Amino acid sequence: DHPPTALINFRGGNSTFPSIYFYEIKAQKILPSLVKNKIIIINLQDEENEPLQTPVGDLTPAEILATTIDNILLHRFISPAN
């Protein structure tokens, strides 16, 4: 027997989930209500950090993690045919 397998169900390409830049938080340009009761994913990215190829285009690791969390919370995974 193999363990259960689930495939990521991508909701869309780049920028499917909202992004906030650190400088916006530091400059207090973000309303607290925007992030209240939300899951916050911090993506450490620099010029050498390459996006990853996915079926919906190149995504950052944070976008892939956000999609995976979305799949878990809303039961959106794709199950392979048996």
Side-chain angles (χ1 to χ4, degrees):
D1 278 336
H2 296 296
T5 301
L7 303 172
I8 297 174
N9 186 1
F10 291 96
R11 292 182 55 199
N14 192 9
S15 299
T16 297
F17 297 94
S19 295
I20 300 171
Y21 293 96
F22 179 75
Y23 73 86
E24 294 174 312
I25 296 169
K26 189 173 179 182
Q28 298 180 349
K29 293 182 178 184
I30 301 300
L31 296 173
S33 61
L34 184 63
V35 295
K36 185 176 182 177
N37 298 320
K38 305 289 185 196
I39 296 173
I40 307 298
I41 299 168
I42 299 173
N43 185 40
L44 301 176
Q45 189 170 358
D46 57 27
E47 293 178 10
E48 295 179 13
N49 210 358
E50 293 289 325
L52 303 171
Q53 292 181 359
T54 73
V56 295
D58 292 348
L59 299 178
T60 66
E63 290 170 316
I64 294 171
L65 179 58
T67 301
T68 303
I69 291 170
D70 171 81
N71 283 197
I72 292 168
L73 293 177
L74 300 175
H75 307 284
R76 293 183 196 254
F77 281 110
I78 299 171
S79 297
N82 291 331

